[in-house]
Amino acid sequence: MARDYSLEKTRNIGIMAHIDAGKTTTTERILFFTGKTHKLGEVHDGTATMDWMKQEQERGITITSAATTCFWKNHKINIIDTPGHVDFTVEVERSLRVLDGAVVLFCAVGGVEPQSETVWKQSDKYQVPKIAFVNKMDRIGADFFGVVDAMKERLNCNAVPFQLPIGAEENFEGVIDLVRRVAVYYYDDAKSNIGIRIEEKPVPAEMEDIVKKYRGILFERIAEIDENLLEKYLNGEKIEVDELKAALRKAVIKNSIVPVFCGSSFKNKGVQRLLDGIIDYLPAPNDIENIIGFDPEDKDKKIEIKQSDDEPFVALAFKVMSDRHTGKLVYFRVYSGMLKAGSYVLNTTTGKRERIGRILQMHANKREHREEIYAGEIGAGVGLTNTFTGHTLCNEDRPVLLESIEFPTPVISIAIAPKSTTDRDRLSMGLQKLAEEAPTFEVKIDTESNETIISGMGELHLEIIVDRLQHEFGVEAVIGQPQVAYRETIIRPIEKEHKYVKQTGGRGQYAHLFIKLEPTGPGGGFEFVNNIRQGAIPKEYIPAIEKGILEAMKEGAYAKFPVVDVRVILFDGTYHEVDSSEMAFKIAASQAFKSAFLAANPALLEPIMNVDITSPAEYLGDITGDICQRRGQILAIDVVRGNQVVRARVPLAEMFGYATKLRSITQGRASYNMYLDCYERVPHEIATEIVEKRQKLNK
């Protein structure tokens, strides 16, 4: 069976923004106007198609990225609607890894908000071409040009209006299409099945000057892409719309410019023109440069993957979801080739062969069976028991490994215990399935206290996890107080010799090694360097040594927090021909690391959060004073549309319960956004107190 839409007529896009900018509402309008749904779902009513989880409907926020497919003007559009809350930023990260383009929404009143910057940086990381949509133009305080200026200033991007608003706030009537040079008006019409009638008219006389100005900017921006077009413009020659669109499309795909559209999704204004923009300017899969993979046996050997149905099958798993009807669902993006349901594939990340029993086309939590899936498409597979987020699936005849997805480490933990013995098994099963879904959610057993510890990206993240355990798995649990996920590191380098000798009759255990520990600096990560010369330690024992060190790092010797930012250099040692073994060297390496770590001036690291607080001016003194009491550092105070925006850095340990405190000191008129910046050393007095508490707890 041939594919229904060619690669050229396929778009894989994500919709993302700061929380409450209107992502899900915009997606609902897209689904309605493309005929995918026949009734408009609303976030505030809990009826939005893409917010299908119970927790999303109750809170009115998006928690998990939802995928769907719709069709517009003979094109197929695969859409992923992503969360705006920073606790669920992993959903944006993994979506961007497999998308070709993105629509980034901005509130016409709020402008470039903190999470807007975060998702923008994430999209830049993957070099994803973008369209900006300034939403909520009907709201009081809407300022289209202010948002465009803020984009240039705060996002350092070449934001270029492709549309201009006709009016604003309650007088927002429509948009000027600068490419086609026409005015598009939206009228309330009771006879229309959507309540909106659209008419195109000539540009209003009072807007001729501003239209001329911004059309001129359009042509200036494409000079680097198409000099002939610029010359025709300067000479006053006629330029066809298709010519202009083709040049602008090249510029967008090269990330040279970011088109800016505008509208009001809730009022059904501007969404159809946004769909046109997705088709006209965002890339098809074969517009993107070929993907580079690696030989699983030789990571230095690169393999170019051409996005074509005729190439061998290659796909990347980017999301895992537990489904009560089908079990484990694995979402994947196909980069090349095609796959039939029931086929076997190779998971090159694990080296295991797997069978895809069924292929599904997802529409939020609904599904449609597919017999096959082609290059450039996004689907979900049933039957992939050993495949997880970031794994590569490919044809068994041509093994290839794609670059995986990097995720931030959790910063907050709580202890969780079943209320009764009947809840114990359900809790274990629920935690296992939820951990498979979310790479930023971790579960571990504290070996000292025998407690189950769950870790996530924030208080809301863990609150949602606990809520899902109760409603999806029927678990009643007792929850502890939130705890900061500290890390351990060293301050100075040190060398250590360690010998492990054990004789218990028969064959003994012998391992002797010399290691050097060095700090790699903030964010430097772990590095293992093998400097063994002339076979002082046989090479078959080296992997066991590295494994022993990594295991020791999981629970540091200082306060039993994970160790980070350390380089370990193995530079000498001896072995015994009979008594040495991989196990002996693994144990020796673990013991040597712990001993050296304690002698290298160990230190605690804590997560430092970027905090942005928006408040009326009269509460500024109380807010800054409270931040300083929390060991915070004020970075800047800006004025944005009449409100004060305080930007600060504060240790996470001092931010528990901050939402309640902020409401109290501002009479509920302030809001804040918080996201991880980096890890920094805990002051010595506080670190000593934390270590002492841990030691007492472990006793």
Side-chain angles (χ1 to χ4, degrees):
M1 179 180 173
R3 64 186 301 151
D4 49 0
Y5 286 82
S6 67
L7 272 174
E8 291 77 15
K9 293 187 177 295
T10 300
R11 301 290 184 271
N12 293 312
I13 67 160
I15 299 184
M16 49 197 183
H18 184 88
I19 191 170
D20 205 30
K23 293 178 306 304
T24 302
T25 299
T26 301
T27 309
E28 291 297 318
R29 283 355 184 228
I30 288 174
L31 295 178
F32 183 78
F33 291 130
T34 57
K36 187 69 180 181
T37 59
H38 302 288
K39 180 183 178 184
L40 284 173
E42 303 294 0
V43 175
H44 56 269
D45 291 335
T47 58
T49 306
M50 304 300 274
D51 284 350
W52 56 270
M53 288 176 61
K54 179 178 182 294
Q55 292 78 12
E56 293 175 318
Q57 294 168 352
E58 289 176 346
R59 290 170 168 81
I61 61 171
T62 303
I63 293 169
T64 181
S65 56
T68 190
T69 300
C70 59
F71 306 92
W72 183 253
K73 294 188 175 177
N74 201 31
H75 283 71
K76 181 178 185 177
I77 306 175
N78 297 312
I79 301 175
I80 297 182
D81 176 32
T82 64
H85 197 284
V86 70
D87 280 16
F88 310 105
T89 190
V90 63
E91 297 287 340
V92 182
E93 185 82 19
R94 60 176 162 194
S95 300
L96 282 167
R97 175 66 174 80
V98 298
L99 294 172
D100 301 320
V103 175
V104 185
L105 267 63
F106 297 91
C107 173
V109 181
V112 179
E113 297 172 280
Q115 186 65 1
S116 308
E117 294 184 66
T118 303
V119 297
W120 197 273
K121 289 175 184 174
Q122 287 174 302
S123 66
D124 281 346
K125 173 182 172 183
Y126 294 109
Q127 298 180 318
V128 175
K130 295 172 281 289
I131 285 177
F133 183 69
V134 180
N135 191 26
K136 303 189 178 184
M137 281 300 304
D138 60 307
R139 285 186 56 188
I140 295 173
D143 182 358
F144 174 79
F145 296 103
V147 176
V148 174
D149 290 341
M151 287 177 63
K152 295 175 182 176
E153 180 184 342
R154 294 184 61 179
L155 304 177
N156 193 30
C157 71
N158 190 7
V160 182
F162 278 35
Q163 294 179 345
L164 299 178
I166 302 173
E169 300 178 344
E170 62 181 15
N171 297 317
F172 176 61
E173 297 180 84
V175 299
I176 302 290
D177 183 335
L178 290 173
V179 176
R180 296 173 56 229
R181 208 177 184 283
V182 296
V184 183
Y185 287 88
Y186 298 86
Y187 299 101
D188 291 333
D189 187 349
K191 296 180 182 178
S192 170
N193 64 338
I194 56 169
I196 290 290
R197 177 168 49 87
I198 303 173
E199 284 187 15
E200 290 189 358
K201 297 181 179 180
V203 172
E206 66 272 17
M207 294 189 71
E208 283 286 357
D209 288 344
I210 194 170
V211 168
K212 183 177 179 181
K213 173 186 173 182
Y214 280 96
R215 268 179 67 84
I217 292 172
L218 264 183
F219 284 98
E220 289 171 12
R221 293 295 186 267
I222 60 172
E224 296 177 7
I225 304 297
D226 196 325
E227 291 183 7
N228 293 330
L229 208 62
L230 181 66
E231 189 175 335
K232 287 178 72 173
Y233 173 73
L234 294 175
N235 292 335
E237 298 177 39
K238 184 179 179 182
I239 297 172
E240 299 297 332
V241 171
D242 288 345
E243 276 186 282
L244 182 54
K245 281 186 177 180
L248 291 171
R249 178 180 174 79
K250 288 179 185 177
V252 173
I253 291 172
K254 287 183 66 175
N255 268 311
S256 299
I257 62 174
V258 177
V260 185
F261 290 67
C262 61
S264 168
S265 296
F266 184 63
K267 296 292 181 68
N268 304 314
K269 297 179 179 181
V271 178
Q272 295 99 321
R273 293 298 180 268
L274 175 62
L275 278 163
D276 291 342
I278 290 169
I279 299 302
D280 291 338
Y281 305 114
L282 288 182
N286 55 350
D287 288 323
I288 304 295
E289 292 183 2
N290 289 341
I291 307 298
I292 301 299
F294 305 92
D295 186 327
E297 302 298 326
D298 181 4
K299 300 294 173 61
D300 294 327
K301 183 180 177 182
K302 295 182 179 179
I303 300 173
E304 191 170 351
I305 300 165
K306 184 180 179 183
Q307 303 213 44
S308 166
D309 297 340
D310 300 326
E311 294 289 305
F313 173 75
V314 179
L316 182 74
F318 67 94
K319 179 181 171 71
V320 174
M321 191 180 82
S322 296
D323 185 276
R324 64 179 63 187
H325 303 293
T326 56
K328 180 180 174 182
L329 277 178
V330 177
Y331 287 70
F332 59 91
R333 157 73 188 265
V334 182
Y335 284 101
S336 70
M338 61 88 68
L339 179 71
K340 290 188 175 182
S343 301
Y344 283 90
V345 294
L346 176 66
N347 182 330
T348 42
T349 308
T350 63
K352 294 182 178 179
R353 186 174 185 246
E354 297 221 54
R355 180 179 180 271
I356 296 188
R358 282 181 286 165
I359 299 172
L360 305 175
Q361 186 82 57
M362 300 302 296
H363 175 50
N365 64 329
K366 298 180 177 64
R367 56 192 62 78
E368 174 188 331
H369 289 273
R370 295 274 304 269
E371 290 302 318
E372 61 276 298
I373 191 167
Y374 296 90
E377 295 192 310
I378 292 173
V382 179
L384 297 166
T385 55
N386 295 304
T387 298
F388 299 97
T389 301
H391 288 192
T392 302
L393 302 171
C394 67
N395 193 309
E396 296 178 85
D397 298 332
R398 190 189 72 167
V400 62
L401 186 64
L402 298 177
E403 184 180 344
S404 189
I405 310 172
E406 292 184 7
F407 298 110
T409 55
V411 296
I412 183 173
S413 304
I414 57 173
I416 185 169
K419 273 189 177 179
S420 65
T421 53
T422 56
D423 287 316
R424 185 176 292 120
D425 290 341
R426 287 199 294 264
L427 175 64
S428 177
M429 180 184 69
L431 290 176
Q432 179 187 343
K433 289 189 175 181
L434 292 175
E436 287 179 357
E437 287 186 16
T440 52
F441 173 62
E442 293 181 356
V443 182
K444 68 175 184 178
I445 306 296
D446 189 310
T447 54
E448 299 286 342
S449 63
N450 204 32
E451 286 184 312
T452 300
I453 307 295
I454 60 174
S455 305
M457 298 306 297
E459 291 182 86
L460 178 60
H461 186 191
L462 295 182
E463 182 185 327
I464 296 296
I465 291 289
V466 172
D467 198 33
R468 289 188 65 188
L469 282 170
Q470 180 179 351
H471 289 97
E472 293 178 29
F473 300 96
V475 176
E476 293 293 334
V478 179
I479 309 301
Q481 292 297 313
Q483 301 292 326
V484 175
Y486 293 101
R487 298 288 183 263
E488 299 181 21
T489 192
I490 57 172
I491 305 303
R492 67 182 182 90
I494 193 169
E495 291 185 4
K496 190 73 177 178
E497 174 191 7
H498 188 77
K499 187 180 289 186
Y500 174 67
V501 182
K502 192 172 184 182
Q503 200 71 43
T504 56
R507 182 176 175 178
Q509 297 284 347
Y510 178 91
H512 179 211
L513 48 81
F514 292 80
I515 61 172
K516 181 178 182 180
L517 268 59
E518 296 176 346
T520 58
F526 168 70
E527 185 181 351
F528 177 75
V529 181
N530 175 20
N531 278 348
I532 292 294
R533 298 291 181 267
Q534 299 177 341
I537 298 176
K539 63 181 181 181
E540 60 263 29
Y541 296 145
I542 304 302
I545 292 172
E546 183 177 3
K547 189 174 181 181
I549 290 166
L550 286 169
E551 287 189 2
M553 290 175 63
K554 289 179 181 177
E555 196 174 80
Y558 182 44
K560 297 193 179 300
F561 293 111
V563 175
V564 295
D565 301 340
V566 174
R567 180 184 297 109
V568 180
I569 303 169
L570 174 68
F571 63 89
D572 203 0
T574 62
Y575 72 102
H576 190 278
E577 289 187 0
V578 177
D579 291 345
S580 289
S581 65
E582 290 184 4
M583 181 58 70
F585 272 101
K586 179 182 171 184
I587 294 170
S590 177
Q591 293 175 346
F593 179 85
K594 290 177 180 178
S595 177
F597 188 84
L598 288 173
N601 285 22
L604 276 189
L605 301 175
E606 64 179 342
I608 304 296
M609 313 302 286
N610 279 325
V611 184
D612 297 303
I613 307 147
T614 302
S615 168
E618 58 260 39
Y619 305 110
L620 187 61
D622 290 336
I623 289 171
T624 54
D626 183 63
I627 288 294
C628 292
Q629 288 180 3
R630 296 172 185 269
R631 292 195 284 132
Q633 174 190 4
I634 306 294
L635 300 178
I637 300 176
D638 302 325
V639 179
V640 178
R641 292 173 173 78
N643 279 324
Q644 302 288 321
V645 179
V646 179
R647 308 188 193 282
R649 297 174 76 249
V650 190
L652 175 62
E654 307 293 338
M655 291 299 291
F656 293 138
Y658 183 67
T660 303
K661 178 69 174 179
L662 185 64
R663 281 196 297 268
S664 173
I665 62 179
T666 65
Q667 299 179 24
R669 296 176 65 191
S671 61
Y672 79 103
N673 183 269
M674 180 173 73
Y675 55 98
L676 178 66
D677 179 26
C678 63
Y679 272 81
E680 289 183 358
R681 282 183 62 185
V682 180
H684 179 71
E685 304 80 18
I686 298 175
T688 302
E689 185 180 335
I690 292 169
V691 173
E692 288 176 353
K693 283 183 179 178
R694 293 278 289 183
Q695 290 172 345
K696 287 180 182 177
L697 185 66
N698 292 333
K699 286 179 181 178

